[in-house]
């Protein structure tokens, strides 16, 4: 048994196809298959059921794979401890970002990160909050960039931003004439809302004081950009995070700020409590903060809206 075999088993569990697992592991499919089979023979159990659709872990296989992930994580931790002692920022950074943040925040710091640390391989994946939390716990991600608080003792949160909510109204909606808006205004008809599963949707409903959508909700979408276009081309109104409209917030009269204390979403870097690459985390935090206006920094006031 060796770490390479364990990594192949974990890759096969992740991708559930021999060809894809081999591709992601940078090895030929026959080589991966042989090593998985050798490990099964050594353990005396079948780890995967082979089917025409791919590979599915057996009951005992699932337990072995879970332990393999822990072994690989501990081996990686040894490397990271040495890198930290040497002051090196190398290897791979697996970053999970929620979809309502990724297109507006990641382009602001990603190039700077790779330029500052050319020996660091950065892999960014858009995932929903619950998926990021789970993968952080399974050590399939190193860092999450998502909305907090999470209230999870296994995870450590490093707050970055207090990002205000803004209201975007169509020309024909009554709210277009308002100087500022209140949460109670969100009970008016014509609200366009994110689809279920997005934390931003939950925050909007919490801000409205609603347990679930009502007849005031016109439509549900999976994209903030879609919601913006629906408002601009049709009617109604929607809520957007400030980063999504940063280039127009100072001159678009259809964007409305909330009266003080303005509702905000807290954006944080999140890691597992066992994370040791503090130099990298600090560098990532500093790059993100430098990429956005200071008024968005978490040190500024705001009424935090929870999503859980």
């Amino acid at each position: 048994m060796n770490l390479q075999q364990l990594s192949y088993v974990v890759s096969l569990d992740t991708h559930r196809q021999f060809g894809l697992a081999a591709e992601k592991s940078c090895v030929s499919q026959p080589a991966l298959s042989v090593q998985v089979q050798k490990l099964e023979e050594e353990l005396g159990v079948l780890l995967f059921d082979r089917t025409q659709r791919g590979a599915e872990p057996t009951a005992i296989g699932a337990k072995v794979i879970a332990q393999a992930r822990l072994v690989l994580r501990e081996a990686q931790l040894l490397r990271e401890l040495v890198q930290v002692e040497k002051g090196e920022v190398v290897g791979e950074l697996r970053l999970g970002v929620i979809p309502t943040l990724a297109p507006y925040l990641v382009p602001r710091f990603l190039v700077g990160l790779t330029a500052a640390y050319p020996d660091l391989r950065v892999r960014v994946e858009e995932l929903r909050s619950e998926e990021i939390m789970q993968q952080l716990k399974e050590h399939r991600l190193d860092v999450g960039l998502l909305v907090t608080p999470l209230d999870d003792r296994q995870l450590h949160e490093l707050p970055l931003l207090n990002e205000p909510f803004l209201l975007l109204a169509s020309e024909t909606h009554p709210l277009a004439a308002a100087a500022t808006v209140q949460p109670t205004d969100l009970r008016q008809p014509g609200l366009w809302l994110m689809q279920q599963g997005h934390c931003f949707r939950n925050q909007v409903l919490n801000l409205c004081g609603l347990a679930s959508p009502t007849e005031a909700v016109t439509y549900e979408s999976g994209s903030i950009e879609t919601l913006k276009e629906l408002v601009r081309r049709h009617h109604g109104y929607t809520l957007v995070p400030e980063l999504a409209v940063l280039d127009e917030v100072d001159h678009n009269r259809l964007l409305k700020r909330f009266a003080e204390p303005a509702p905000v979403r807290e954006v944080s870097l999140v890691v597992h409590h066992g994370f040791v690459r503090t130099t990298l985390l600090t560098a990532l935090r500093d790059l993100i903060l430098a990429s956005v206006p200071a008024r968005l920094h978490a040190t500024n006031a705001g009424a935090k809206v929870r999503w859980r």
Side-chain angles (χ1 to χ4, degrees):
M1 185 187 305
N2 56 60
L3 295 178
Q4 190 66 71
Q5 289 174 328
L6 297 183
S7 71
Y8 290 159
V9 167
V10 167
S11 181
L12 184 55
D13 175 58
T14 300
H15 302 292
R16 302 298 171 96
Q17 293 182 352
F18 279 89
L20 184 56
E23 178 185 340
K24 296 296 184 180
S25 301
C26 300
V27 68
S28 68
Q29 181 174 334
L32 183 140
S33 299
V34 166
Q35 291 303 316
V36 172
Q37 186 174 354
K38 282 185 176 181
L39 182 59
E40 289 178 322
E41 291 172 354
E42 178 179 346
L43 295 175
V45 295
L46 190 67
L47 300 177
F48 293 93
D49 286 324
R50 281 76 163 171
T51 67
Q52 291 184 339
R53 293 183 298 177
E56 292 289 334
T58 61
I60 184 61
K63 296 179 180 180
V64 171
I65 293 164
Q67 189 63 35
R69 290 186 184 276
L70 292 176
V71 171
L72 290 172
R73 173 54 190 160
E74 292 300 318
Q76 179 60 28
L77 185 59
L78 288 175
R79 299 186 185 95
E80 291 173 357
L81 285 170
V82 174
Q83 291 166 3
V84 168
E85 288 298 315
K86 292 181 176 180
E88 298 176 342
V89 180
V90 297
E92 183 179 47
L93 171 64
R94 299 165 298 175
L95 177 64
V97 189
I98 57 174
T100 58
L101 268 176
Y104 313 114
L105 189 55
V106 172
R108 292 179 171 272
F109 70 83
L110 185 59
V111 173
L113 179 63
T114 55
Y117 303 103
D119 295 325
L120 181 69
R121 300 185 308 276
V122 183
R123 176 168 63 84
V124 181
E125 188 173 0
E126 287 191 28
L127 298 165
R128 295 187 179 184
S129 298
E130 297 287 359
E131 294 173 317
I132 293 176
M133 294 171 64
Q134 186 61 34
Q135 292 197 27
L136 286 172
K137 295 176 186 177
E138 295 173 352
H139 304 292
R140 296 166 64 181
L141 288 175
D142 300 306
V143 182
L145 186 55
L146 65 162
V147 173
T148 53
L150 304 177
D151 300 321
D152 192 312
R153 294 183 178 180
Q154 295 185 54
L155 302 176
H156 172 67
E157 303 169 12
L158 180 63
L160 297 173
L161 311 175
N162 281 340
E163 184 185 13
F165 289 84
L166 288 93
L167 186 142
L168 176 65
S170 66
E171 291 271 8
T172 59
H173 197 276
L175 289 173
T180 59
V181 292
Q182 300 279 353
T184 52
D185 292 326
L186 303 180
R187 293 180 177 271
Q188 293 192 34
L191 173 63
W192 306 84
L193 191 65
M194 292 287 289
Q195 287 176 340
Q196 191 167 1
H198 291 275
C199 63
F200 191 78
R201 167 199 173 94
N202 296 345
Q203 286 183 300
V204 171
L205 291 176
N206 288 341
L207 185 54
C208 297
L210 300 174
S212 61
T214 68
E215 65 278 359
V217 176
T218 305
Y219 182 81
E220 298 182 17
S221 169
S223 163
I224 287 178
E225 291 305 307
T226 301
L227 295 178
K228 288 162 61 178
E229 283 302 307
L230 286 168
V231 170
R232 286 167 178 157
R233 294 178 179 272
H234 297 282
H235 59 82
Y237 65 100
T238 192
L239 290 191
V240 292
E242 184 163 339
L243 284 173
V245 291
L246 201 55
D247 295 336
E248 54 183 305
V249 68
D250 292 327
H251 60 266
N252 187 344
R253 64 182 181 81
L254 298 176
L255 280 168
K256 311 295 180 180
R257 290 194 179 274
F258 281 82
E260 296 294 338
V264 299
R265 65 173 183 172
E266 181 184 74
V267 176
S268 300
L269 289 171
V270 180
V271 296
H272 191 275
H273 271 296
F275 189 81
V276 298
R277 302 163 77 184
T278 53
T279 300
L280 175 58
L281 194 63
T282 300
L284 185 57
R285 178 199 64 190
D286 293 344
L287 281 168
I288 293 174
L289 291 178
S291 73
V292 301
R295 67 175 182 270
L296 302 183
H297 292 182
T299 52
N300 296 326
K304 296 178 186 177
V305 181
R306 300 180 66 91
W307 69 272
R308 303 189 81 193

